[in-house]
Amino acid sequence: MTPFTSKVIKIIKMIPEGKVMTYGQIAKLAGSPRGARQVVRVLHSLSGKYHLPWHRVINRKGEISIKEDESNTLQKLFLQDEGIEVNGEGVVDLEQYQFQPDRSEGEEEEF
DNA sequence: TTAGTGACAGGCA
DNA sequence: CTGCCTGCCACTA
């Protein structure tokens, strides 16, 4: 269990209902801007061992990337149940549902 | 130890 | 917008 993994877990757990996050976003917040694939491993390894809202984690395109059709469909149901709109392609509108924990502390943009 | 893998992301045509 | 290629980094055999 690396610090990175712990962070990933925390971040995923703080995703509110009705919101989603991308792998890259989580990886960045966890300290590895290019560690999206590690986030994948975490989900693979811990989604079933911990109580994580793994269904709120999607790829950059805003779609569900799970291979297994069962889990894929299940995730779509979970998201819709939280009020998130998911089309037939399993795509979510990131502009509308992507969760942003903090605009990076120190950088505010109020032009 | 090295090589391969993965529920990805970003850049470019 | 989509598709292809490359970089990525932790984990497994």
Side-chain angles (χ1 to χ4, degrees), chain A residues 6-15 21 26 29-30:
Chain A
S6 301
K7 278 194 166 187
V8 171
I9 294 173
K10 291 181 182 177
I11 294 170
I12 294 177
K13 290 179 66 175
M14 61 186 266
I15 302 175
M21 285 185 82
I26 294 172
L29 293 174

Side-chain angles (χ1 to χ4, degrees), chain A residues 17 23 27 32 36 48 62 69 74 76-77 84-85 92 94 109:
Chain A
E17 294 185 6
Y23 298 93
S32 297
D69 298 303
L74 182 61
K76 181 162 65 176
L77 294 176
I84 298 177
E85 294 180 53
V92 175
L94 284 179
E109 54 195 280

